[in-house]
Short mmCIF file of all heavy atoms in Angstrom, two decimals:
data_model
loop_
_atom_site.label_atom_id
_atom_site.label_comp_id
_atom_site.label_asym_id
_atom_site.label_seq_id
_atom_site.Cartn_x
_atom_site.Cartn_y
_atom_site.Cartn_z
N MET A 1482 5.67 51.31 -25.19
CA MET A 1482 5.44 52.35 -24.22
C MET A 1482 5.26 53.70 -24.94
O MET A 1482 6.03 54.05 -25.83
CB MET A 1482 6.63 52.43 -23.27
CG MET A 1482 6.41 53.37 -22.13
SD MET A 1482 7.70 53.17 -20.91
CE MET A 1482 8.32 54.80 -20.86
N VAL A 1483 4.27 54.44 -24.55
CA VAL A 1483 3.96 55.72 -25.18
C VAL A 1483 4.83 56.81 -24.55
O VAL A 1483 4.94 56.92 -23.34
CB VAL A 1483 2.47 56.08 -25.00
CG1 VAL A 1483 2.17 57.42 -25.63
CG2 VAL A 1483 1.59 55.01 -25.58
N GLN A 1484 5.46 57.60 -25.41
CA GLN A 1484 6.28 58.72 -24.94
C GLN A 1484 5.64 60.01 -25.40
O GLN A 1484 5.06 60.08 -26.49
CB GLN A 1484 7.70 58.62 -25.48
CG GLN A 1484 8.47 57.46 -24.92
CD GLN A 1484 9.89 57.45 -25.46
OE1 GLN A 1484 10.19 58.07 -26.47
NE2 GLN A 1484 10.74 56.72 -24.78
N TYR A 1485 5.75 61.03 -24.56
CA TYR A 1485 5.16 62.33 -24.85
C TYR A 1485 6.23 63.40 -24.83
O TYR A 1485 7.23 63.30 -24.13
CB TYR A 1485 4.10 62.69 -23.80
CG TYR A 1485 2.88 61.82 -23.82
CD1 TYR A 1485 2.74 60.75 -22.94
CD2 TYR A 1485 1.85 62.06 -24.73
CE1 TYR A 1485 1.60 59.96 -22.96
CE2 TYR A 1485 0.72 61.28 -24.75
CZ TYR A 1485 0.60 60.23 -23.86
OH TYR A 1485 -0.52 59.44 -23.89
N GLU A 1486 5.99 64.45 -25.60
CA GLU A 1486 6.77 65.66 -25.46
C GLU A 1486 5.86 66.71 -24.84
O GLU A 1486 4.64 66.68 -25.03
CB GLU A 1486 7.32 66.14 -26.80
CG GLU A 1486 6.30 66.52 -27.83
CD GLU A 1486 6.94 67.06 -29.10
OE1 GLU A 1486 7.87 67.89 -29.00
OE2 GLU A 1486 6.50 66.64 -30.17
N TYR A 1487 6.44 67.60 -24.05
CA TYR A 1487 5.66 68.57 -23.29
C TYR A 1487 6.03 69.99 -23.68
O TYR A 1487 7.17 70.27 -24.06
CB TYR A 1487 5.90 68.38 -21.79
CG TYR A 1487 5.29 67.10 -21.26
CD1 TYR A 1487 6.00 65.91 -21.27
CD2 TYR A 1487 4.01 67.08 -20.77
CE1 TYR A 1487 5.45 64.74 -20.80
CE2 TYR A 1487 3.43 65.92 -20.29
CZ TYR A 1487 4.16 64.75 -20.31
OH TYR A 1487 3.59 63.59 -19.86
N ARG A 1488 5.06 70.86 -23.56
CA ARG A 1488 5.26 72.30 -23.76
C ARG A 1488 4.58 73.01 -22.60
O ARG A 1488 3.43 72.71 -22.27
CB ARG A 1488 4.67 72.76 -25.08
CG ARG A 1488 4.70 74.26 -25.24
CD ARG A 1488 4.27 74.68 -26.60
NE ARG A 1488 5.38 74.36 -27.52
CZ ARG A 1488 5.33 74.57 -28.82
NH1 ARG A 1488 4.27 75.07 -29.37
NH2 ARG A 1488 6.36 74.27 -29.58
N VAL A 1489 5.28 73.93 -21.98
CA VAL A 1489 4.74 74.67 -20.84
C VAL A 1489 4.45 76.10 -21.28
O VAL A 1489 5.33 76.78 -21.82
CB VAL A 1489 5.73 74.67 -19.65
CG1 VAL A 1489 5.15 75.44 -18.47
CG2 VAL A 1489 6.07 73.25 -19.24
N LEU A 1490 3.22 76.53 -21.07
CA LEU A 1490 2.81 77.90 -21.38
C LEU A 1490 2.51 78.62 -20.07
O LEU A 1490 1.87 78.05 -19.19
CB LEU A 1490 1.57 77.91 -22.26
CG LEU A 1490 1.66 77.18 -23.60
CD1 LEU A 1490 0.31 77.20 -24.29
CD2 LEU A 1490 2.70 77.83 -24.47
N THR A 1491 2.95 79.85 -19.96
CA THR A 1491 2.69 80.66 -18.77
C THR A 1491 1.92 81.91 -19.19
O THR A 1491 2.31 82.59 -20.14
CB THR A 1491 4.01 81.06 -18.09
OG1 THR A 1491 4.75 79.88 -17.80
CG2 THR A 1491 3.74 81.82 -16.80
N PHE A 1492 0.83 82.16 -18.49
CA PHE A 1492 -0.01 83.31 -18.77
C PHE A 1492 0.02 84.27 -17.59
O PHE A 1492 -0.06 83.84 -16.44
CB PHE A 1492 -1.46 82.87 -19.02
CG PHE A 1492 -1.60 81.97 -20.21
CD1 PHE A 1492 -1.69 80.60 -20.06
CD2 PHE A 1492 -1.65 82.49 -21.49
CE1 PHE A 1492 -1.82 79.76 -21.14
CE2 PHE A 1492 -1.78 81.66 -22.59
CZ PHE A 1492 -1.86 80.29 -22.42
N PRO A 1493 0.11 85.58 -17.85
CA PRO A 1493 0.12 86.55 -16.76
C PRO A 1493 -1.26 86.64 -16.11
O PRO A 1493 -2.25 86.16 -16.65
CB PRO A 1493 0.48 87.86 -17.45
CG PRO A 1493 0.07 87.68 -18.87
CD PRO A 1493 0.23 86.22 -19.16
N ARG A 1494 -1.30 87.26 -14.96
CA ARG A 1494 -2.57 87.30 -14.21
C ARG A 1494 -3.62 88.18 -14.87
O ARG A 1494 -4.80 88.03 -14.61
CB ARG A 1494 -2.34 87.75 -12.78
CG ARG A 1494 -1.89 89.16 -12.63
CD ARG A 1494 -1.61 89.49 -11.19
NE ARG A 1494 -1.73 90.92 -10.99
CZ ARG A 1494 -2.40 91.47 -10.02
NH1 ARG A 1494 -3.00 90.73 -9.14
NH2 ARG A 1494 -2.48 92.76 -9.91
N ASP A 1495 -3.21 89.08 -15.76
CA ASP A 1495 -4.18 89.93 -16.42
C ASP A 1495 -4.71 89.33 -17.73
O ASP A 1495 -5.51 89.96 -18.42
CB ASP A 1495 -3.60 91.33 -16.68
CG ASP A 1495 -2.36 91.30 -17.54
OD1 ASP A 1495 -1.76 90.21 -17.69
OD2 ASP A 1495 -1.97 92.36 -18.06
N ALA A 1496 -4.31 88.11 -18.07
CA ALA A 1496 -4.84 87.44 -19.27
C ALA A 1496 -6.26 86.97 -18.99
O ALA A 1496 -6.55 86.42 -17.93
CB ALA A 1496 -3.96 86.25 -19.63
N THR A 1497 -7.14 87.20 -19.94
CA THR A 1497 -8.54 86.83 -19.76
C THR A 1497 -8.75 85.37 -20.17
O THR A 1497 -7.97 84.81 -20.95
CB THR A 1497 -9.46 87.73 -20.60
OG1 THR A 1497 -9.14 87.55 -21.97
CG2 THR A 1497 -9.28 89.19 -20.21
N ARG A 1498 -9.80 84.78 -19.67
CA ARG A 1498 -10.11 83.39 -20.01
C ARG A 1498 -10.33 83.18 -21.51
O ARG A 1498 -9.85 82.20 -22.07
CB ARG A 1498 -11.31 82.89 -19.23
CG ARG A 1498 -10.97 82.54 -17.82
CD ARG A 1498 -12.18 81.97 -17.12
NE ARG A 1498 -11.87 81.71 -15.74
CZ ARG A 1498 -12.04 80.54 -15.15
NH1 ARG A 1498 -12.56 79.55 -15.83
NH2 ARG A 1498 -11.72 80.37 -13.90
N PRO A 1499 -11.06 84.06 -22.18
CA PRO A 1499 -11.21 83.87 -23.64
C PRO A 1499 -9.87 83.91 -24.39
O PRO A 1499 -9.68 83.16 -25.34
CB PRO A 1499 -12.12 85.01 -24.07
CG PRO A 1499 -12.88 85.37 -22.85
CD PRO A 1499 -11.93 85.14 -21.71
N ASP A 1500 -8.95 84.77 -23.95
CA ASP A 1500 -7.63 84.83 -24.59
C ASP A 1500 -6.86 83.54 -24.37
O ASP A 1500 -6.25 83.00 -25.30
CB ASP A 1500 -6.82 86.01 -24.05
CG ASP A 1500 -7.39 87.35 -24.44
OD1 ASP A 1500 -8.15 87.40 -25.43
OD2 ASP A 1500 -7.09 88.35 -23.75
N ILE A 1501 -6.89 83.02 -23.16
CA ILE A 1501 -6.21 81.76 -22.85
C ILE A 1501 -6.84 80.62 -23.63
O ILE A 1501 -6.14 79.78 -24.21
CB ILE A 1501 -6.24 81.48 -21.33
CG1 ILE A 1501 -5.42 82.55 -20.59
CG2 ILE A 1501 -5.72 80.09 -21.02
CD1 ILE A 1501 -5.54 82.48 -19.08
N ARG A 1502 -8.15 80.59 -23.67
CA ARG A 1502 -8.87 79.55 -24.41
C ARG A 1502 -8.50 79.58 -25.89
O ARG A 1502 -8.31 78.54 -26.52
CB ARG A 1502 -10.37 79.73 -24.23
CG ARG A 1502 -11.18 78.60 -24.83
CD ARG A 1502 -12.66 78.79 -24.64
NE ARG A 1502 -13.02 79.00 -23.25
CZ ARG A 1502 -13.72 80.05 -22.80
NH1 ARG A 1502 -14.14 80.96 -23.64
NH2 ARG A 1502 -14.00 80.17 -21.52
N GLN A 1503 -8.37 80.76 -26.46
CA GLN A 1503 -8.01 80.91 -27.87
C GLN A 1503 -6.61 80.36 -28.14
O GLN A 1503 -6.39 79.63 -29.11
CB GLN A 1503 -8.09 82.38 -28.29
CG GLN A 1503 -7.75 82.62 -29.74
CD GLN A 1503 -8.74 82.01 -30.69
OE1 GLN A 1503 -9.91 81.93 -30.39
NE2 GLN A 1503 -8.26 81.58 -31.83
N VAL A 1504 -5.66 80.68 -27.28
CA VAL A 1504 -4.28 80.19 -27.45
C VAL A 1504 -4.24 78.67 -27.35
O VAL A 1504 -3.60 77.99 -28.16
CB VAL A 1504 -3.34 80.84 -26.41
CG1 VAL A 1504 -1.98 80.18 -26.42
CG2 VAL A 1504 -3.21 82.32 -26.66
N LEU A 1505 -4.94 78.11 -26.36
CA LEU A 1505 -4.95 76.66 -26.18
C LEU A 1505 -5.64 75.96 -27.35
O LEU A 1505 -5.20 74.89 -27.79
CB LEU A 1505 -5.61 76.29 -24.86
CG LEU A 1505 -4.87 76.74 -23.60
CD1 LEU A 1505 -5.68 76.37 -22.37
CD2 LEU A 1505 -3.48 76.15 -23.54
N ALA A 1506 -6.70 76.56 -27.86
CA ALA A 1506 -7.40 75.97 -29.01
C ALA A 1506 -6.51 75.96 -30.25
O ALA A 1506 -6.52 74.99 -31.01
CB ALA A 1506 -8.69 76.73 -29.29
N GLU A 1507 -5.74 77.01 -30.45
CA GLU A 1507 -4.83 77.05 -31.60
C GLU A 1507 -3.74 76.00 -31.48
O GLU A 1507 -3.41 75.32 -32.45
CB GLU A 1507 -4.21 78.44 -31.73
CG GLU A 1507 -5.19 79.48 -32.22
CD GLU A 1507 -4.62 80.88 -32.21
OE1 GLU A 1507 -3.44 81.05 -31.82
OE2 GLU A 1507 -5.36 81.80 -32.58
N HIS A 1508 -3.19 75.82 -30.28
CA HIS A 1508 -2.18 74.79 -30.08
C HIS A 1508 -2.77 73.40 -30.30
O HIS A 1508 -2.12 72.52 -30.89
CB HIS A 1508 -1.58 74.88 -28.67
CG HIS A 1508 -0.47 75.86 -28.56
ND1 HIS A 1508 -0.70 77.21 -28.37
CD2 HIS A 1508 0.86 75.71 -28.62
CE1 HIS A 1508 0.45 77.84 -28.31
NE2 HIS A 1508 1.43 76.95 -28.46
N ALA A 1509 -3.99 73.19 -29.86
CA ALA A 1509 -4.62 71.89 -30.00
C ALA A 1509 -4.95 71.60 -31.47
O ALA A 1509 -4.72 70.48 -31.95
CB ALA A 1509 -5.90 71.82 -29.17
N GLU A 1510 -5.44 72.60 -32.18
CA GLU A 1510 -5.87 72.38 -33.56
C GLU A 1510 -4.70 72.25 -34.52
O GLU A 1510 -4.67 71.34 -35.36
CB GLU A 1510 -6.78 73.53 -34.01
CG GLU A 1510 -7.36 73.33 -35.39
CD GLU A 1510 -8.36 74.40 -35.74
OE1 GLU A 1510 -8.76 75.19 -34.87
OE2 GLU A 1510 -8.75 74.44 -36.92
N TYR A 1511 -3.72 73.13 -34.41
CA TYR A 1511 -2.65 73.16 -35.40
C TYR A 1511 -1.42 72.36 -34.98
O TYR A 1511 -0.67 71.89 -35.82
CB TYR A 1511 -2.24 74.60 -35.70
CG TYR A 1511 -3.40 75.40 -36.26
CD1 TYR A 1511 -3.91 76.48 -35.57
CD2 TYR A 1511 -3.97 75.05 -37.47
CE1 TYR A 1511 -4.98 77.21 -36.08
CE2 TYR A 1511 -5.04 75.76 -37.98
CZ TYR A 1511 -5.53 76.84 -37.28
OH TYR A 1511 -6.58 77.55 -37.79
N GLY A 1512 -1.19 72.21 -33.68
CA GLY A 1512 0.00 71.49 -33.23
C GLY A 1512 -0.30 70.12 -32.66
O GLY A 1512 0.61 69.42 -32.23
N HIS A 1513 -1.58 69.75 -32.58
CA HIS A 1513 -2.02 68.46 -32.04
C HIS A 1513 -1.62 68.27 -30.58
O HIS A 1513 -1.27 67.17 -30.16
CB HIS A 1513 -1.51 67.30 -32.90
CG HIS A 1513 -1.94 67.41 -34.33
ND1 HIS A 1513 -3.24 67.21 -34.73
CD2 HIS A 1513 -1.25 67.73 -35.45
CE1 HIS A 1513 -3.32 67.39 -36.03
NE2 HIS A 1513 -2.13 67.71 -36.49
N TRP A 1514 -1.64 69.34 -29.81
CA TRP A 1514 -1.34 69.27 -28.39
C TRP A 1514 -2.62 68.98 -27.63
O TRP A 1514 -3.71 69.37 -28.04
CB TRP A 1514 -0.75 70.59 -27.89
CG TRP A 1514 0.59 70.91 -28.46
CD1 TRP A 1514 0.85 71.67 -29.56
CD2 TRP A 1514 1.85 70.46 -27.98
NE1 TRP A 1514 2.20 71.73 -29.78
CE2 TRP A 1514 2.84 71.00 -28.83
CE3 TRP A 1514 2.24 69.66 -26.91
CZ2 TRP A 1514 4.19 70.75 -28.63
CZ3 TRP A 1514 3.59 69.43 -26.72
CH2 TRP A 1514 4.55 69.96 -27.57
N GLU A 1515 -2.49 68.31 -26.48
CA GLU A 1515 -3.62 68.10 -25.59
C GLU A 1515 -3.25 68.61 -24.20
O GLU A 1515 -2.07 68.67 -23.84
CB GLU A 1515 -4.01 66.63 -25.53
CG GLU A 1515 -2.96 65.71 -24.99
CD GLU A 1515 -3.38 64.26 -25.02
OE1 GLU A 1515 -4.25 63.89 -25.81
OE2 GLU A 1515 -2.80 63.48 -24.24
N LEU A 1516 -4.25 68.98 -23.45
CA LEU A 1516 -4.05 69.55 -22.13
C LEU A 1516 -3.64 68.45 -21.15
O LEU A 1516 -4.32 67.44 -21.02
CB LEU A 1516 -5.34 70.22 -21.65
CG LEU A 1516 -5.27 71.00 -20.35
CD1 LEU A 1516 -4.31 72.17 -20.48
CD2 LEU A 1516 -6.64 71.49 -19.96
N ALA A 1517 -2.51 68.65 -20.47
CA ALA A 1517 -2.03 67.66 -19.50
C ALA A 1517 -2.25 68.14 -18.07
O ALA A 1517 -2.66 67.36 -17.21
CB ALA A 1517 -0.55 67.37 -19.72
N ARG A 1518 -2.01 69.44 -17.81
CA ARG A 1518 -2.12 69.95 -16.44
C ARG A 1518 -2.28 71.46 -16.48
O ARG A 1518 -1.73 72.13 -17.34
CB ARG A 1518 -0.85 69.58 -15.68
CG ARG A 1518 -0.85 70.01 -14.25
CD ARG A 1518 0.42 69.55 -13.57
NE ARG A 1518 0.39 69.97 -12.18
CZ ARG A 1518 1.40 69.87 -11.36
NH1 ARG A 1518 2.52 69.35 -11.78
NH2 ARG A 1518 1.30 70.28 -10.13
N THR A 1519 -3.03 71.98 -15.54
CA THR A 1519 -3.21 73.42 -15.37
C THR A 1519 -2.96 73.77 -13.92
O THR A 1519 -3.41 73.06 -13.01
CB THR A 1519 -4.64 73.84 -15.75
OG1 THR A 1519 -4.89 73.47 -17.09
CG2 THR A 1519 -4.82 75.34 -15.63
N ARG A 1520 -2.26 74.86 -13.69
CA ARG A 1520 -1.96 75.26 -12.33
C ARG A 1520 -2.16 76.77 -12.20
O ARG A 1520 -1.64 77.54 -13.01
CB ARG A 1520 -0.51 74.89 -12.01
CG ARG A 1520 -0.04 75.12 -10.64
CD ARG A 1520 -0.39 73.94 -9.77
NE ARG A 1520 -0.13 74.24 -8.38
CZ ARG A 1520 0.67 73.53 -7.63
NH1 ARG A 1520 1.26 72.46 -8.10
NH2 ARG A 1520 0.84 73.86 -6.38
N LEU A 1521 -2.90 77.19 -11.21
CA LEU A 1521 -3.12 78.61 -10.92
C LEU A 1521 -2.32 78.94 -9.67
O LEU A 1521 -2.51 78.31 -8.62
CB LEU A 1521 -4.61 78.89 -10.70
CG LEU A 1521 -4.99 80.33 -10.39
CD1 LEU A 1521 -4.61 81.25 -11.54
CD2 LEU A 1521 -6.48 80.43 -10.11
N TYR A 1522 -1.42 79.92 -9.76
CA TYR A 1522 -0.53 80.25 -8.66
C TYR A 1522 -1.07 81.40 -7.83
O TYR A 1522 -1.98 82.12 -8.24
CB TYR A 1522 0.87 80.57 -9.20
CG TYR A 1522 1.57 79.35 -9.73
CD1 TYR A 1522 1.54 79.04 -11.08
CD2 TYR A 1522 2.26 78.49 -8.88
CE1 TYR A 1522 2.17 77.91 -11.57
CE2 TYR A 1522 2.89 77.36 -9.36
CZ TYR A 1522 2.84 77.08 -10.70
OH TYR A 1522 3.46 75.96 -11.19
N LEU A 1523 -0.48 81.58 -6.68
CA LEU A 1523 -0.94 82.55 -5.70
C LEU A 1523 -0.95 83.98 -6.26
O LEU A 1523 -1.84 84.75 -5.99
CB LEU A 1523 -0.08 82.47 -4.44
CG LEU A 1523 -0.55 83.26 -3.24
CD1 LEU A 1523 -1.92 82.78 -2.81
CD2 LEU A 1523 0.42 83.10 -2.08
N GLY A 1524 0.03 84.34 -7.05
CA GLY A 1524 0.10 85.69 -7.62
C GLY A 1524 -0.91 85.94 -8.72
O GLY A 1524 -1.09 87.06 -9.16
N GLY A 1525 -1.58 84.89 -9.17
CA GLY A 1525 -2.59 85.04 -10.20
C GLY A 1525 -2.17 84.55 -11.56
O GLY A 1525 -2.99 84.45 -12.46
N HIS A 1526 -0.87 84.26 -11.74
CA HIS A 1526 -0.48 83.76 -13.07
C HIS A 1526 -0.82 82.28 -13.18
O HIS A 1526 -0.95 81.58 -12.20
CB HIS A 1526 0.99 84.06 -13.38
CG HIS A 1526 1.99 83.26 -12.62
ND1 HIS A 1526 2.39 83.57 -11.36
CD2 HIS A 1526 2.67 82.14 -12.98
CE1 HIS A 1526 3.27 82.68 -10.96
NE2 HIS A 1526 3.46 81.80 -11.91
N ARG A 1527 -0.98 81.86 -14.41
CA ARG A 1527 -1.45 80.50 -14.70
C ARG A 1527 -0.40 79.80 -15.56
O ARG A 1527 0.13 80.38 -16.49
CB ARG A 1527 -2.77 80.61 -15.46
CG ARG A 1527 -3.49 79.34 -15.71
CD ARG A 1527 -4.79 79.60 -16.45
NE ARG A 1527 -5.63 80.59 -15.81
CZ ARG A 1527 -6.64 80.30 -15.00
NH1 ARG A 1527 -6.93 79.05 -14.75
NH2 ARG A 1527 -7.35 81.25 -14.46
N ARG A 1528 -0.12 78.56 -15.23
CA ARG A 1528 0.82 77.75 -16.01
C ARG A 1528 0.08 76.53 -16.53
O ARG A 1528 -0.62 75.86 -15.79
CB ARG A 1528 2.01 77.35 -15.14
CG ARG A 1528 3.11 76.70 -15.94
CD ARG A 1528 4.38 76.60 -15.16
NE ARG A 1528 4.96 77.94 -15.04
CZ ARG A 1528 5.87 78.25 -14.14
NH1 ARG A 1528 6.31 77.36 -13.29
NH2 ARG A 1528 6.35 79.46 -14.08
N VAL A 1529 0.27 76.24 -17.82
CA VAL A 1529 -0.44 75.16 -18.48
C VAL A 1529 0.59 74.23 -19.13
O VAL A 1529 1.49 74.71 -19.82
CB VAL A 1529 -1.40 75.71 -19.55
CG1 VAL A 1529 -2.08 74.59 -20.30
CG2 VAL A 1529 -2.42 76.65 -18.93
N TRP A 1530 0.44 72.95 -18.90
CA TRP A 1530 1.29 71.94 -19.53
C TRP A 1530 0.49 71.27 -20.63
O TRP A 1530 -0.60 70.76 -20.40
CB TRP A 1530 1.73 70.88 -18.52
CG TRP A 1530 2.79 71.32 -17.58
CD1 TRP A 1530 4.12 71.07 -17.70
CD2 TRP A 1530 2.63 72.07 -16.37
NE1 TRP A 1530 4.78 71.63 -16.63
CE2 TRP A 1530 3.90 72.25 -15.81
CE3 TRP A 1530 1.52 72.62 -15.71
CZ2 TRP A 1530 4.09 72.93 -14.62
CZ3 TRP A 1530 1.72 73.30 -14.54
CH2 TRP A 1530 2.99 73.46 -14.01
N LEU A 1531 1.06 71.25 -21.84
CA LEU A 1531 0.46 70.58 -22.98
C LEU A 1531 1.35 69.39 -23.34
O LEU A 1531 2.56 69.43 -23.13
CB LEU A 1531 0.37 71.52 -24.18
CG LEU A 1531 -0.42 72.81 -23.97
CD1 LEU A 1531 -0.29 73.69 -25.21
CD2 LEU A 1531 -1.86 72.51 -23.67
N ARG A 1532 0.74 68.34 -23.88
CA ARG A 1532 1.54 67.19 -24.30
C ARG A 1532 1.02 66.66 -25.63
O ARG A 1532 -0.12 66.89 -26.01
CB ARG A 1532 1.49 66.08 -23.25
CG ARG A 1532 0.17 65.38 -23.16
CD ARG A 1532 0.21 64.27 -22.16
NE ARG A 1532 -1.05 63.53 -22.24
CZ ARG A 1532 -1.35 62.48 -21.51
NH1 ARG A 1532 -0.47 62.05 -20.62
NH2 ARG A 1532 -2.50 61.88 -21.64
N ARG A 1533 1.91 65.97 -26.33
CA ARG A 1533 1.53 65.25 -27.54
C ARG A 1533 2.43 64.03 -27.67
O ARG A 1533 3.56 64.02 -27.19
CB ARG A 1533 1.57 66.12 -28.78
CG ARG A 1533 2.93 66.59 -29.20
CD ARG A 1533 2.82 67.44 -30.44
NE ARG A 1533 4.10 68.06 -30.74
CZ ARG A 1533 4.27 68.95 -31.69
NH1 ARG A 1533 3.25 69.34 -32.42
NH2 ARG A 1533 5.46 69.47 -31.90
N LYS A 1534 1.90 63.02 -28.32
CA LYS A 1534 2.63 61.77 -28.48
C LYS A 1534 3.80 61.96 -29.42
O LYS A 1534 3.70 62.66 -30.42
CB LYS A 1534 1.73 60.67 -29.03
CG LYS A 1534 0.72 60.16 -28.06
CD LYS A 1534 -0.08 59.04 -28.68
CE LYS A 1534 -1.16 58.58 -27.73
NZ LYS A 1534 -1.98 57.53 -28.33
N ILE A 1535 4.89 61.28 -29.09
CA ILE A 1535 6.03 61.21 -30.00
C ILE A 1535 5.83 59.97 -30.86
O ILE A 1535 5.72 58.85 -30.34
CB ILE A 1535 7.36 61.11 -29.21
CG1 ILE A 1535 7.57 62.35 -28.37
CG2 ILE A 1535 8.51 60.90 -30.18
CD1 ILE A 1535 8.77 62.28 -27.47
N ILE A 1536 5.74 60.18 -32.15
CA ILE A 1536 5.51 59.08 -33.07
C ILE A 1536 6.85 58.70 -33.70
O ILE A 1536 7.47 59.50 -34.39
CB ILE A 1536 4.49 59.46 -34.16
CG1 ILE A 1536 3.17 59.82 -33.51
CG2 ILE A 1536 4.34 58.34 -35.17
CD1 ILE A 1536 2.15 60.40 -34.46
N ARG A 1537 7.28 57.52 -33.42
CA ARG A 1537 8.54 57.01 -33.96
C ARG A 1537 8.24 56.12 -35.17
O ARG A 1537 7.43 55.21 -35.09
CB ARG A 1537 9.27 56.21 -32.91
CG ARG A 1537 9.51 56.98 -31.64
CD ARG A 1537 10.95 56.94 -31.25
NE ARG A 1537 11.14 57.60 -29.97
CZ ARG A 1537 11.71 58.77 -29.83
NH1 ARG A 1537 12.18 59.39 -30.87
NH2 ARG A 1537 11.86 59.31 -28.64
N VAL A 1538 8.92 56.39 -36.26
CA VAL A 1538 8.72 55.62 -37.48
C VAL A 1538 9.74 54.51 -37.53
O VAL A 1538 10.95 54.75 -37.39
CB VAL A 1538 8.86 56.55 -38.72
CG1 VAL A 1538 8.69 55.75 -39.99
CG2 VAL A 1538 7.85 57.66 -38.64
N GLN A 1539 9.27 53.29 -37.71
CA GLN A 1539 10.15 52.13 -37.79
C GLN A 1539 10.58 51.93 -39.24
O GLN A 1539 9.74 51.97 -40.15
CB GLN A 1539 9.41 50.89 -37.29
CG GLN A 1539 8.92 51.02 -35.87
CD GLN A 1539 9.82 50.27 -34.91
OE1 GLN A 1539 10.55 49.39 -35.32
NE2 GLN A 1539 9.77 50.65 -33.66
N ARG A 1540 11.83 51.71 -39.43
CA ARG A 1540 12.35 51.46 -40.77
C ARG A 1540 11.96 50.05 -41.21
O ARG A 1540 12.15 49.10 -40.46
CB ARG A 1540 13.85 51.63 -40.76
CG ARG A 1540 14.45 51.58 -42.11
CD ARG A 1540 15.90 51.93 -42.04
NE ARG A 1540 16.48 51.77 -43.36
CZ ARG A 1540 17.71 52.06 -43.65
NH1 ARG A 1540 18.50 52.53 -42.71
NH2 ARG A 1540 18.15 51.90 -44.86
N THR A 1541 11.45 49.92 -42.43
CA THR A 1541 10.99 48.61 -42.89
C THR A 1541 11.99 47.92 -43.80
O THR A 1541 11.92 46.71 -44.00
CB THR A 1541 9.65 48.75 -43.65
OG1 THR A 1541 9.83 49.63 -44.76
CG2 THR A 1541 8.58 49.27 -42.73
N ALA A 1542 12.89 48.65 -44.42
CA ALA A 1542 13.83 48.02 -45.35
C ALA A 1542 15.25 48.07 -44.84
O ALA A 1542 15.63 48.75 -43.99
CB ALA A 1542 13.76 48.70 -46.70
#
């Protein structure tokens, strides 16, 4: 069974799309995160859920 760890990022309503895109691209490139969910709230702030697989190493000896 695949297990994931999650990170939640919250952006204020005055954050621009290019700024948000840049932050998400950096997380994806350097931290190996992938986009799991995006939510835009009534006040204008945006919440983004990122996930990545938890890799468990099995002991061989």
Side-chain angles (χ1 to χ4, degrees):
M1482 187 169 123
V1483 179
Q1484 292 182 342
Y1485 293 98
E1486 63 176 315
Y1487 290 89
R1488 173 173 286 179
V1489 180
L1490 302 175
T1491 304
F1492 298 99
R1494 67 183 204 132
D1495 59 344
T1497 62
R1498 282 184 184 235
D1500 293 339
I1501 295 172
R1502 187 180 306 125
Q1503 180 66 32
V1504 170
L1505 294 177
E1507 288 174 0
H1508 276 83
E1510 185 174 350
Y1511 299 117
H1513 303 289
W1514 293 95
E1515 63 183 23
L1516 186 63
R1518 182 178 180 188
T1519 302
R1520 184 86 189 237
L1521 180 62
Y1522 290 95
L1523 189 60
H1526 72 278
R1527 187 179 307 263
R1528 189 167 288 162
V1529 177
W1530 284 262
L1531 302 175
R1532 71 177 187 179
R1533 67 180 171 187
K1534 288 182 183 177
I1535 297 175
I1536 300 172
R1537 305 232 185 252
V1538 178
Q1539 301 258 339
R1540 188 173 176 176
T1541 59

